[in-house]
Amino acid sequence: MKTVIIGGSATGMGVAAKLKRLDEKNEIIVIQDKEYVSLGACGIPYFVGNNFVDAEILIARQVEKFEKSGISIINNTKATKIDFENKCVDFEDEKIFYDNLVIAVGAKPIIPDIKNIEANNIFTVNSKEDGIAIKNIISDMSKVLVIGSGLIGLEMVENIKHNTKAEISIIEKADRVLKNLFDEEFSELVEQEIKSQNINLYKENEIMEFIKGSDNKVCGAKTIKGEIIPCDVVILSIGVSPNTDFLKNTKLELENNGAIKINEYCETNIPNVFAGGDCCSSLSYLYKNSKTFYLATVANKQAKIIASNINQIKSSKFVGALGTTIIRFFDLELARSGENKMFIQMNNIETKEILIKDKDHTNYVAGQQELWLRIIIDCKTKEIINAQMIGKNKSVLRIYGLVGLIWSRTKVNEALEQIDLPYSPSFSRTTDIIHIALSKLI
């Protein structure tokens, strides 16, 4: 049985490795558009911030190790066309036939149509090469402009600030940072931290033109409000979109955003064609709505499901995701899980919510810090559908417990109010913030 995999990141290589473990006779060929596979792209900001100096650490497993296990990798090559009827993939001047096909091409950075966007000192955060280039160009004298204040943008800001004395500016189109993930109260605390770090923040604003200097490099950015932001390094982190342009106008069903439609078995509408990871739409766990999760955790889970279903061991299902995320931003730590306010409002879900502002542990142990928790429940089901936390000193790791409650669809009632959480003066208070929130909700 021959399986061809297009894409050599988390999903693609996860499928390849598990298929080989399940049956070493499986013939597996991976087509990858870069020299390397298994890039841990989430580590790029931390490489830029000098948490480690060898860029090869970003590679989880080298091509040679995969090939030693019998997995063939055709690297530095792009698949250009798929003939689904004849089960054939075209790349360059060659064709390769398959019994099963896995499309795991990931997502590509969104690059806005702005004058001079092609300049040499404008970067995305998508590849090992991006990380090396950004790290090499930024110095203490740099003026860095980060476009976008999502998770990757803020991680880049933090790491550049830690590693250099560069002047940093953030420009955000929305009216606040992290808008799609956290509620306004949480965004305000992050924005206060941005200010305290002497980082410039431009909200409800966007770049309309980059001002080009010498050597095809930009020296400034003109905003829609007429300001000129000086910059000699620009980092684009305004989001990503499914990398599926080559699949348009085919029989493969796509969502409006270009994501591949898959069912719970990670199958597409075409027999023997599977897909997973950032290039797909998946199920949201709570309401089974279609959603694209740009998360490595989802990609890894879907890789196992695809491999099992190809090998016909069992009918593995992807049951959905909550979009659980966590981020450190200087001393602040934020975590969240579940549906956001936009989805709740669009679907007219009647909810009850509580915001608790408390402390992370007892006052007689040094280092006590504020800890905030928001919980939203569905009034009809009495289940938690959203949890958000912000604090310090890893206190937001309580999100693990809350995710368990969301995942198990536990009812918020008097029994849950008595949940037996751990207590120690250096970790918590006798009545934890979770107990307080549950009590208020009841």
Side-chain angles (χ1 to χ4, degrees):
M1 180 176 66
K2 181 193 288 187
T3 298
V4 173
I5 300 170
I6 306 175
S9 291
T11 302
M13 300 318 297
V15 172
K18 184 167 184 179
L19 275 176
K20 209 63 179 175
R21 289 195 301 270
L22 291 171
D23 187 347
E24 63 180 15
K25 295 179 182 178
N26 282 327
E27 183 181 358
I28 304 162
I29 301 170
V30 179
I31 302 172
Q32 166 70 335
D33 61 356
K34 295 182 177 62
E35 181 182 1
Y36 49 84
V37 295
S38 295
L39 173 71
C42 297
I44 293 172
Y46 300 92
F47 170 68
V48 172
N50 218 29
N51 287 265
F52 55 97
V53 296
D54 183 3
E56 293 306 308
I57 291 175
L58 290 167
I59 309 300
R61 190 177 179 189
Q62 300 293 333
V63 168
E64 293 76 17
K65 290 188 176 181
F66 281 107
E67 290 180 332
K68 281 183 180 178
S69 68
I71 297 168
S72 300
I73 297 175
I74 304 170
N75 54 6
N76 292 315
T77 301
K78 278 190 176 184
T80 55
K81 183 182 176 182
I82 303 173
D83 182 346
F84 293 109
E85 289 186 3
N86 295 304
K87 302 178 80 170
C88 175
V89 178
D90 289 8
F91 59 97
E92 296 179 352
D93 295 326
E94 298 185 45
K95 296 180 183 291
I96 188 167
F97 292 89
Y98 63 83
D99 297 309
N100 293 291
L101 176 67
V102 179
I103 304 173
V105 290
K108 59 184 178 181
I110 295 172
I111 300 176
D113 184 15
I114 301 173
K115 185 178 179 180
N116 295 323
I117 192 78
E118 77 288 346
N120 292 337
N121 52 344
I122 298 178
F123 305 94
T124 58
V125 188
N126 189 56
S127 66
K128 182 179 76 171
E129 292 79 8
D130 289 335
I132 292 170
I134 293 169
K135 189 172 184 177
N136 287 342
I137 197 173
I138 293 178
S139 69
D140 290 341
M141 303 300 292
S142 296
K143 291 180 170 59
V144 180
L145 173 61
V146 177
I147 303 179
S149 64
L151 298 174
I152 298 300
L154 293 184
E155 285 177 343
M156 289 297 295
V157 166
E158 181 201 33
N159 279 283
I160 292 168
K161 185 72 175 178
H162 276 321
N163 195 41
T164 71
K165 296 178 182 178
E167 179 184 333
I168 305 172
S169 298
I170 305 170
I171 188 162
E172 171 56 53
K173 188 176 182 179
D175 59 349
R176 57 187 177 87
V177 303
L178 294 171
K179 184 170 183 176
N180 293 330
L181 295 172
F182 292 93
D183 290 347
E184 190 171 356
E185 298 90 343
F186 297 81
S187 293
E188 286 177 359
L189 293 181
V190 176
E191 289 173 12
Q192 290 173 19
E193 184 66 21
I194 290 171
K195 184 177 180 181
S196 72
Q197 295 290 338
N198 296 315
I199 296 165
N200 306 310
L201 175 61
Y202 300 82
K203 296 186 295 182
E204 296 183 270
N205 211 334
E206 54 187 305
I207 303 302
M208 62 176 294
E209 177 185 350
F210 289 108
I211 302 167
K212 191 178 288 188
S214 58
D215 301 325
N216 195 32
K217 293 181 178 180
V218 299
C219 57
K222 185 176 181 180
T223 75
I224 58 171
K225 296 183 179 180
E227 305 113 321
I228 302 294
I229 304 174
C231 56
D232 49 33
V233 179
V234 178
I235 297 172
L236 299 175
S237 58
I238 58 177
V240 294
S241 62
N243 191 24
T244 56
D245 288 348
F246 76 108
L247 297 170
K248 292 177 181 177
N249 302 315
T250 70
K251 292 183 179 180
L252 194 69
E253 290 185 1
L254 305 177
E255 304 281 3
N256 291 334
N257 69 343
I260 301 168
K261 292 183 180 181
I262 57 172
N263 63 15
E264 57 193 349
Y265 302 103
C266 295
E267 298 170 320
T268 69
N269 63 302
I270 298 175
N272 301 106
V273 178
F274 299 80
D278 293 357
C279 64
C280 300
S281 64
S282 303
L283 284 178
S284 181
Y285 180 75
L286 292 174
Y287 294 97
K288 304 306 178 186
N289 51 300
S290 180
K291 194 171 183 179
T292 304
F293 294 96
Y294 300 111
L295 296 170
T297 50
V298 172
N300 288 330
K301 293 167 189 172
Q302 290 179 335
K304 295 178 181 179
I305 290 165
I306 292 169
S308 293
N309 288 332
I310 287 175
N311 219 61
Q312 297 178 341
I313 288 181
K314 56 184 178 181
S315 295
S316 294
K317 294 182 181 181
F318 179 70
V319 298
L322 295 172
T324 306
T325 50
I326 190 166
I327 182 176
R328 183 193 72 194
F329 187 65
F330 298 100
D331 289 338
L332 290 180
E333 297 158 353
L334 298 94
R336 55 91 59 208
S337 187
E339 295 292 353
N340 62 18
K341 284 283 185 69
M342 186 183 301
F343 175 84
I344 292 169
Q345 291 166 0
M346 286 178 61
N347 289 274
N348 298 313
I349 300 169
E350 185 183 354
T351 61
K352 184 177 182 180
E353 64 180 76
I354 192 74
L355 174 63
I356 303 296
K357 302 176 182 179
D358 199 53
K359 303 293 183 180
D360 57 357
H361 61 251
T362 54
N363 61 341
Y364 47 82
V365 174
Q368 186 190 59
Q369 298 286 347
E370 284 193 347
L371 177 62
W372 293 16
L373 167 64
R374 166 159 278 146
I375 293 179
I376 303 175
I377 64 172
D378 185 322
C379 290
K380 183 178 179 180
T381 64
K382 306 300 181 186
E383 297 168 1
I384 300 172
I385 60 172
N386 177 279
Q388 302 170 53
M389 301 195 78
I390 187 166
K392 298 181 180 180
N393 301 325
K394 296 182 172 58
S395 60
V396 300
L397 291 180
R398 286 168 171 82
I399 198 71
Y400 282 92
L402 291 168
V403 169
L405 296 180
I406 298 171
W407 195 259
S408 62
R409 298 183 179 276
T410 304
K411 305 293 183 183
V412 176
N413 54 28
E414 289 185 3
L416 186 62
E417 186 183 5
Q418 299 177 39
I419 187 170
D420 194 7
L421 299 176
Y423 162 69
S424 173
S426 57
F427 289 99
S428 59
R429 306 209 301 160
T430 50
T431 303
D432 190 74
I433 191 170
I434 293 176
H435 283 127
I436 297 170
L438 293 173
S439 179
K440 294 284 187 182
L441 284 166
I442 294 166

